Structures are given as structure tokens and as C-alpha cells.
């Protein structure tokens, strides 16, 4: 037993100071933490032998003296991240800074049920680890996004409408059985929100991300962290009622839901009714990009309807960034223009004074990036990281 193992909690606390990636000397850490230099030295030795810290290049170049500057080592472990949609998945292996090392897009059918889909994800995950020159023992954890409601604490899907056989399935236990790693699960919109936030908006504290595709959902970032609410249902705005449209029936059984009025599927149905055949968000996007006037009008109106619901969120939550993504956002400026129109019209000036309403910046990597950060934030936190120090 090394001396550092005697104080794993203290060592884990010291590690938190270095998570920002900035290299520091032992003296700087001593000044920053108020700890005696001997205590700092002992804890750094433990962190160096765990691999979580490395000597930084800066000190190595000073000549004959042993290096004294240490920094967080993002290569210490890797994360397997999976963003699973209805008909395809994106998988990635990232380092501990959330940078993607290798990735793969895969066609799969979520309706095949959890065992077939998750076994395939784990098999491809192993192959990606090999491709990255790593193996299962290097996994800090596995992060998974699913296209339906998830009870985040248990990682179990809860009555997911497009995922037959998944209701209540213990996703973390299954994946842990396959790969032997801690597994965290959330809905796809939350992980996209987290990925987009960390990549582009981390200097802002409060953000709303809305995904407009076959369904409509949002993810809330509050004080830099996902706000999931008591059951993980926060942000599920697709079934908020749109004031003016009272007779459209939604698949949830209610009438006038936002999703039944303004989703890609809803617009496709309206276009078909108007004599312009369309069946999916992709069809609507193609029509809009080709200048179809009814498509552009419906997309703009969908933006306004979404904006009306978001105006309530803006009033209640006061974000400084509102990001719009999802398949329908590829239709161009008309969706976001409609959102801006309604949000600015329906919100008080103080709430919109510094509000930026922007398209998603991260593209289709937002999901895997967010799934990786979900794992990293959890497993490297002070209370969790201790388990890595005694291995
Ligand atoms: Zn509904």
C-alpha cells in the first residue's frame, strides 16, 4: 500500500483542481489549496501512478532537473459513447477531454428490442476500442442516449413510444454485463444539449436546446449542468398545448400538442393534405430547400408555434442561449426565423435582452459528445474518482 491510499478522498479533491487541464507545479497547488507541500507531493504521486496526471511537457524541457509541473492526462482512460436513434446509431470512443478518437455510424432498428440492439452496440464498441488501440479495461464508462423518455437515475426507458420491448429494461446492467463498465443512460435530446453546450456555449450558464424532428423535445442546461427534474422528464415539451390549434389529435391521446402541430411528421401530413406528397422530416427539408412555397410557409408557422411554447420557457427559465437543432432545422432559416418571431413577441424585454437564438453548431456529433461528457462528469467527480486511485 502506498501512502496516498491512506487519503483517497483528499487525493480526489486535489484532482478536481487539475480537471481544467492547466499544468501546475506542486508549489502552485500548495498555494491554491492551502495544503502542506508534503501532502500535495504525496497526493500527486498517487495521481501520477493512477495515470490521471502526467508530467507536462513544459517542465520536461527545462533540462536536467526532474519535471515538477503536472497536468490532467486525458489519455488515462477512454469513454464509449452511443447516440442511438430510431433507425441508426452513432458510436464513438473519446478521451477524457471528450475529444472523439474514433467513430462509426451504424444502421440499426430500435424496434428489434434492447438485447439485440445493445449487444450490437457493445460488439461495435469493442471493435472501435481496438481501432483506437485500447480495450475494455481502459473504459472509464459507457454513455448511451436513447430516442425516448429515460429515468436517468436507473437508466431505464419509461414508456418509450417508438421503442417496443424497451419499457423498464435495465440498460446499465445489460451493458455492464457485456463490457464491465459503469453505464449511464439519458434521452437523446439531453445528451445533444450537453454536447452542444460544452462544445460551444460553456461560457454561458443557462441554455435551452430544442430538437425538432419526427418529435419535438428540449434539454435544459442550468448553471452549466443538465436540469433533468425529479424523474428525468424535464424539457419534454412536445406535448405542451399550442393555443390556436385545438382539434389536431396527438399520438399521446391529447389534442393540440406541439408535436402534433409542428413536428416534421405533422408538416409532412399537412403538405400531403394540401396536395404536396411528403412522409418525413427529410421530405419536408427537401421541399423547403427546393423552394416549395407551402413547405416554406408550414415550416415558418411550425417555428412560430414552437416559439410560442419556448416563450413560456424563456419567461420561466431566462436562458441566454436558445439553440435549435434536429432534422427539421436543416430546412434553413425559416424555422428559426419563426421561433425568433414568436419568442421576441411573447417575452418581456429583460428576458430577451441578451438572448441568442441560434442554430445547433455541433452537427451530428453533439449526441456522442454529450454522452461522453455525461460519463466523464460523473466518473471524475470527487466522490467517484477515488475508485480509480486504488486500482
Ligand atoms: Zn401529445
Amino acid at each position: 500500500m502506498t501512502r496516498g491510499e491512506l487519503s483517497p478522498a483528499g487525493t480526489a479533491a486535489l484532482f478536481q483542481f487539475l480537471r481544467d487541464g492547466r499544468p501546475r507545479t506542486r508549489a502552485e497547488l500548495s498555494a491554491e489549496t492551502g495544503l502542506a507541500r508534503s501532502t500535495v507531493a504525496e497526493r500527486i504521486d498517487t495521481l501520477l501512478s493512477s495515470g490521471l496526471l502526467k508530467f507536462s511537457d513544459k517542465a520536461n524541457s527545462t533540462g536536467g532537473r526532474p519535471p515538477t509541473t503536472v497536468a490532467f492526462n486525458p489519455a488515462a482512460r477512454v469513454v464509449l459513447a452511443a447516440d442511438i436513434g430510431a433507425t441508426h446509431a452513432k458510436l464513438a470512443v473519446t478521451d477524457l477531454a471528450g475529444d472523439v478518437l474514433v467513430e462509426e455510424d451504424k444502421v440499426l432498428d430500435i424496434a428489434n428490442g434492447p438485447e439485440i440492439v445493445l449487444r450490437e452496440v457493445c460488439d461495435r464498441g469493442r471493435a472501435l476500442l481496438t481501432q483506437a488501440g485500447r480495450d475494455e479495461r481502459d473504459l472509464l464508462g459507457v454513455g448511451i442516449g436513447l430516442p425516448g423518455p429515460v429515468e436517468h437515475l436507473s437508466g431505464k426507458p419509461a414508456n418509450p413510444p417508438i421503442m417496443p420491448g424497451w419499457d423498464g429494461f435495465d440498460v446499465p446492467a445489460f451493458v455492464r454485463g457485456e463490457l464491465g463498465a459503469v453505464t449511464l443512460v439519458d434521452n437523446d435530446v439531453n445528451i445533444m444539449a450537453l454536447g452542444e453546450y460544452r462544445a460551444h456555449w460553456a461560457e454561458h450558464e443557462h441554455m435551452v436546446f430544442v430538437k425538432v424532428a419526427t418529435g419535438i423535445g428540449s434539454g435544459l442546461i442550468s448553471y452549466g449542468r443538465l436540469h433533468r427534474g425529479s424523474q428525468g422528464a424535464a424539457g419534454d415539451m412536445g406535448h405542451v398545448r399550442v393555443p390556436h390549434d385545438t382539434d389536431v389529435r396527438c399520438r399521446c391521446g391529447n389534442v393540440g400538442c406541439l408535436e402534433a402541430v409542428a413536428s416534421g411528421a405533422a408538416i409532412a401530413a399537412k403538405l400531403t393534405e394540401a396536395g404536396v406528397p411528403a412522409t418525413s422530416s427529410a421530405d419536408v427539408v427537401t421541399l423547403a430547400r427546393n423552394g416549395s412555397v407551402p413547405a416554406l410557409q408550414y415550416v415558418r408557422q411550425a417555428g412560430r408555434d414552437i416559439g410560442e411554447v419556448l416563450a413560456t420557457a424563456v419567461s420561466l427559465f431566462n436562458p441566454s442561449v436558445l439553440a435549435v437543432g434536429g432534422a427539421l432545422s436543416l430546412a434553413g432559416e425559416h424555422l428559426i426565423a419563426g421561433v425568433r418571431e414568436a419568442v421576441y413577441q411573447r417575452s418581456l424585454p429583460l428576458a430577451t435582452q441578451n438572448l441568442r437564438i441560434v442554430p445547433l453548431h455541433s452537427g451530428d456529433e453533439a449526441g456522442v459528445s454529450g454522452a461522453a461528457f455525461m460519463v466523464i462528469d460523473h466518473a471524475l467527480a470527487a466522490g467517484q474518482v477515488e475508485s480509480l486511485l486504488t486500482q
Side-chain angles (χ1 to χ4, degrees):
M1 179 181 273
T2 68
R3 286 177 301 154
E5 285 173 16
L6 296 174
S7 58
T11 306
L14 181 70
F15 173 63
Q16 302 306 313
F17 283 88
L18 289 142
R19 292 257 319 263
D20 64 8
R22 190 165 71 80
R24 291 168 173 84
T25 64
R26 289 173 173 82
E28 281 169 341
L29 278 165
S30 177
E32 206 170 329
T33 60
L35 294 166
R37 282 203 195 191
S38 58
T39 308
V40 168
E42 175 193 309
R43 290 175 182 178
I44 282 177
D45 285 347
T46 305
L47 289 165
L48 284 167
S49 59
S50 76
L52 288 170
L53 293 191
K54 60 180 180 181
F55 291 116
S56 78
D57 298 341
K58 200 173 80 180
N60 281 335
S61 64
T62 55
R65 286 192 5 252
T68 54
T69 307
V70 294
F72 175 46
N73 176 21
R77 295 281 196 288
V78 291
V79 175
L80 175 61
D83 179 11
I84 304 178
T87 55
H88 67 277
K90 184 182 265 302
L91 306 179
V93 172
T94 78
D95 66 13
L96 298 187
D99 291 332
V100 171
L101 304 175
V102 287
E103 63 181 330
E104 178 179 297
D105 286 306
K106 173 132 200 63
V107 173
L108 55 74
D109 186 357
I110 196 93
N112 282 335
E115 299 195 5
I116 290 175
V117 169
L118 293 174
R119 190 161 288 128
E120 190 154 9
V121 165
C122 292
D123 286 346
R124 294 313 306 157
R126 280 189 202 94
L128 280 177
L129 285 169
T130 307
Q131 211 178 311
R134 312 297 288 254
D135 65 36
E136 290 160 51
R137 287 166 302 178
D138 294 327
L139 278 175
L140 179 74
V142 181
I144 296 179
L146 292 173
V150 173
E151 190 189 64
H152 177 67
L153 281 180
S154 69
K156 295 177 182 174
N159 299 312
I162 60 162
M163 299 167 60
W166 289 76
D167 185 28
F169 187 81
D170 196 338
V171 177
F174 185 91
V175 174
R176 190 172 194 143
E178 289 277 323
L179 297 174
V182 171
T183 302
L184 300 181
V185 190
D186 206 337
N187 71 67
D188 56 348
V189 184
N190 273 355
I191 60 167
M192 283 179 80
L194 186 58
E196 169 75 0
Y197 174 75
R198 295 291 275 272
H200 298 286
W201 306 104
E203 76 278 15
H204 294 254
E205 288 198 309
H206 310 291
M207 183 185 96
V208 173
F209 164 69
V210 57
K211 179 183 177 188
V212 189
T214 308
I216 298 175
S218 69
L220 312 176
I221 302 284
S222 175
Y223 294 102
R225 299 167 63 93
L226 265 174
H227 173 83
R228 296 188 171 93
S230 68
Q231 304 296 324
D236 203 349
M237 61 181 260
H239 303 278
V240 173
R241 186 166 178 164
V242 178
H244 65 82
D245 241 321
T246 52
D247 55 348
V248 185
R249 177 136 329 252
C250 178
R251 61 186 164 82
C252 75
N254 277 320
V255 290
C257 294
L258 181 62
E259 195 165 296
V261 173
S263 65
I267 297 173
K270 286 181 193 178
L271 281 168
T272 304
E273 210 171 295
V276 186
T279 56
S280 63
S281 297
D283 291 345
V284 176
V285 167
T286 305
L287 285 164
R289 284 190 165 172
N290 290 337
S292 154
V293 173
L296 292 172
Q297 284 171 340
Y298 283 133
V299 168
R300 179 96 180 199
Q301 184 56 41
R304 290 189 198 105
D305 292 336
I306 294 162
E308 275 208 38
V309 174
L310 284 173
T312 305
V314 165
S315 298
L316 292 175
F317 187 63
N318 190 198
S320 57
V321 179
L322 208 170
V324 181
L328 199 63
S329 67
L330 302 176
E333 269 293 300
H334 289 266
L335 184 75
I336 209 161
V339 171
R340 286 193 181 113
E341 199 181 311
V343 169
Y344 287 128
Q345 190 187 343
R346 301 290 316 172
S347 309
L348 289 174
L350 183 60
T352 51
Q353 199 175 328
N354 295 310
L355 175 64
R356 300 184 59 180
I357 301 178
V358 294
L360 180 78
H361 284 33
S362 308
D364 63 358
E365 256 186 20
V368 284
S369 160
F373 281 120
M374 170 170 71
V375 171
I376 293 165
D377 291 350
H378 168 81
L380 295 186
Q384 295 293 327
V385 78
E386 289 173 33
S387 65
L388 298 178
L389 303 176
T390 50
Q391 283 174 0

